[in-house]
Amino acid sequence: MPRMIKRSETLQEQVYEYLREQILFGGLAPGQRLIEERLCEETGVSRSPIREAIRRLEKDGLVVVQAQGGVTVYQPTLDDFTSLFECRLHLEPAAARFAAERRTEEELADLQELSARMADIARESDARRTHELHFAFHQRVAEASKNPYMAKIMNDLKVLISFYRNAILQVHPQRPETVISEHAAILDAIRRRDGDAAAASMAEHITRDFRLCMEANRTPTRQGGDR
């Protein structure tokens, strides 16, 4: 049955948001082809908004338009994940250190709320919402650093981080439960304004994620293909 599109927003915007959500949260697998006819049937809209949405997704780095005309979901390589790890390992511990030293009480309250909400959602096994809250926690730490460039870089990395986390969850679906305790350690250090502990806890958290990601990429999984 075609997905119902609400008419309160433009069709192109809704199709874009729908496909973006499917890519970021695992509905469309890396490397999977996007076929216009099937997308039209699925969404119940014409090709024009589908094509405009695909153009936007290409700008976001979420899809790749092949020279021969085909469109596939972006498929990160192990080198991409390794480069992401190197970037995050230098960026985020520094952001956590600065957040511990510079955060406001309001920012601390926001982080505490995000941490509590993630714990609640993880118990409900809502992988998508847990993923959203996980990224929101890291983004809020970067914002609390009071360094706008750190916050911008984190936001720019969102797409690749989403693929990174999806790769982990395919092999380690219980990962959100251990993430909660790791976030708690980061949050406690930020609460105590202990920059060294915040940086160390963040580095440990990111390193563990990277190891699990590499393990996930060594584990055979079903490859994306035509839908």
Side-chain angles (χ1 to χ4, degrees):
M1 178 180 295
R3 180 179 183 270
M4 297 302 294
I5 294 293
K6 298 177 181 179
R7 301 294 167 175
S8 58
E9 299 177 6
T10 66
L11 292 179
Q12 182 272 322
E13 183 68 26
Q14 289 183 74
V15 172
Y16 165 75
E17 291 295 341
Y18 172 66
L19 293 177
R20 183 176 185 276
E21 178 181 289
Q22 290 296 301
I23 293 169
L24 290 180
F25 302 110
L28 291 169
Q32 184 168 330
R33 290 182 62 201
L34 300 185
I35 301 174
E36 285 187 8
E37 292 85 349
R38 294 183 185 178
L39 292 177
C40 290
E41 293 176 3
E42 185 175 332
T43 60
V45 303
S46 66
R47 291 192 179 193
S48 180
I50 296 287
R51 289 173 178 171
E52 182 58 33
I54 287 174
R55 280 193 286 270
R56 289 183 61 183
L57 292 168
E58 183 184 17
K59 290 181 180 178
D60 291 342
L62 288 171
V63 302
V64 177
V65 178
Q66 307 293 338
Q68 61 271 29
V71 180
T72 59
V73 176
Y74 170 65
Q75 187 165 25
T77 66
L78 288 179
D79 284 345
D80 290 331
F81 286 146
T82 299
S83 296
L84 175 65
F85 167 70
E86 292 173 350
C87 182
R88 294 186 70 195
L89 190 61
H90 285 82
L91 173 73
E92 293 199 64
R97 180 188 301 278
F98 293 142
E101 297 169 353
R102 302 170 181 174
R103 56 85 178 165
T104 65
E105 290 301 315
E106 180 181 0
E107 287 166 336
L108 177 62
D110 287 347
L111 287 168
Q112 290 171 328
E113 180 182 358
L114 285 169
S115 184
R117 287 166 59 196
M118 184 171 173
D120 290 340
I121 295 297
R123 283 192 287 269
E124 297 172 8
S125 300
D126 187 337
R128 172 191 161 189
R129 192 75 185 108
T130 300
H131 172 85
E132 291 174 339
L133 291 170
H134 178 274
F135 184 83
F137 180 89
H138 283 259
Q139 183 67 38
R140 194 62 173 135
V141 169
E143 291 167 356
S145 75
K146 303 298 190 297
N147 186 316
Y149 299 107
M150 286 185 170
K152 182 181 185 304
I153 292 170
M154 274 300 297
N155 191 60
D156 290 345
L157 292 174
K158 183 175 183 177
V159 168
L160 190 52
I161 289 174
S162 294
F163 284 112
Y164 185 90
R165 295 215 53 79
N166 287 338
I168 294 171
L169 290 173
Q170 285 180 10
V171 178
H172 299 280
Q174 301 307 313
R175 174 59 176 151
E177 296 177 8
T178 55
V179 164
I180 290 168
S181 63
E182 292 166 22
H183 279 191
I186 297 165
L187 180 57
D188 181 62
I190 292 175
R191 179 186 60 79
R192 294 184 286 105
R193 296 190 183 277
D194 187 336
D196 288 343
S201 294
M202 182 65 83
E204 181 179 348
H205 170 55
I206 292 170
T207 299
R208 185 170 187 183
D209 251 6
F210 178 67
R211 288 172 179 165
L212 291 175
C213 184
M214 292 299 99
E215 180 181 327
N217 276 277
R218 289 194 296 270
T219 302
T221 58
R222 181 178 64 83
Q223 296 297 314
D226 290 357
R227 298 180 62 207

